[in-house]
Amino acid sequence: MKKIAIIILALLLLSGCGTVTSMEDQIEQTTPKITLKSSPSTKIKPSRTDFSWNGAVTDAYFPAPQDFLNSKTLVQTDNTDKVQIKIQQKVKTGIIKVSDLNSITLEMVPKSGDNFLPIDVKELDRGTWQYDVPFKPGEYMYMLKEMYSGDGYEEGYYVTYFFGLEVTE
C-alpha cells in the first residue's frame, strides 16, 4: 500500500512541476538571436509571423514592407558589416520529445513586397549563421523561416520571423 501511495504521490508531483511545457513556451525556444558581427551586443529584434507547431497553425501576418519599415526602429549598420543569426538546434516539444532544426531560409523583402529575394547564409558553426548586409544603403526587411523535424509530421514544425535593418555607407 505504501508503494502505491508513493507512486501516486510521485506522479502528482511530476505532473504539477511543469514538466509539460506549453506550445507557446516551445515556440519561444525558436526565437533567433540576431546580432551584428561588428557589435555583438547590438540586438536586432525579430517578430514572429506564423508557425505550424504540434498540430496548431496560425495564419501568416506579413506586414507590407513600407508599413514595417515605417513603424519599426531599425538597427543601423554600415555596408561592410555582417549579420549573425543564432538559432537553437533542439527544441523540447514534449516531456521527453525533442525536435531538431532541419534547415533555415532567409529572404529579403523588397519595398514593393514582390518577389522575395533569397539570401545566402553561411553556417559558421552549429546553430550560428552569417550573411553580408546589402552594399546599397537603405532600409531592408527580412523573413527568416526555421524548419524543425516533426514527430510523425512529414513537414515537421516551422516558425517564421521578420526583422529589419538600415544600411548606411
Side-chain angles (χ1 to χ4, degrees):
M1 188 69 168
K2 278 187 174 182
K3 288 182 182 182
I4 293 173
I6 291 173
I7 291 172
I8 291 172
L9 185 60
L11 288 173
L12 288 173
L13 183 62
L14 282 176
S15 65
C17 288
T19 55
V20 178
T21 59
S22 73
M23 184 177 63
E24 189 63 34
D25 290 341
Q26 294 170 17
I27 295 171
E28 190 63 33
Q29 296 174 61
T30 68
T31 303
K33 308 293 184 263
I34 306 171
T35 60
L36 298 174
K37 183 176 181 185
S38 65
S39 177
S41 63
T42 301
K43 306 279 190 251
I44 300 171
K45 185 174 176 3
S47 299
R48 186 172 67 221
T49 61
D50 66 332
F51 63 85
S52 175
W53 204 269
N54 279 342
V57 178
T58 59
D59 291 329
Y61 165 68
F62 296 109
Q66 299 88 348
D67 296 338
F68 172 77
L69 295 170
N70 289 335
S71 68
K72 293 285 184 180
T73 302
L74 304 176
V75 172
Q76 289 187 339
T77 186
D78 64 42
N79 58 5
T80 60
D81 209 348
K82 296 177 187 302
V83 175
Q84 293 188 335
I85 302 170
K86 285 188 162 223
I87 300 172
Q88 191 162 326
Q89 292 292 297
K90 295 184 180 295
V91 174
K92 189 171 182 168
T93 53
I95 295 175
I96 55 174
K97 291 190 272 184
V98 174
S99 292
D100 296 314
L101 181 68
N102 287 343
S103 63
I104 67 166
T105 58
L106 181 66
E107 297 173 311
M108 184 172 53
V109 184
K111 284 194 178 189
S112 67
D114 298 329
N115 301 326
F116 291 14
L117 307 169
I119 302 295
D120 283 334
V121 289
K122 175 182 163 190
E123 189 169 9
L124 299 179
D125 59 340
R126 191 157 164 76
T128 304
W129 287 264
Q130 179 175 283
Y131 73 93
D132 296 324
V133 300
F135 188 72
K136 184 177 176 186
E139 295 177 336
Y140 296 91
M141 178 177 158
Y142 294 92
M143 301 295 293
L144 173 68
K145 187 170 188 176
E146 304 171 9
M147 279 79 58
Y148 288 84
S149 63
D151 300 322
Y153 296 107
E154 261 184 50
E155 70 279 355
Y157 307 117
Y158 75 84
V159 183
T160 307
Y161 294 92
F162 59 93
F163 62 94
L165 195 63
E166 183 174 358
V167 177
T168 61
E169 290 187 48

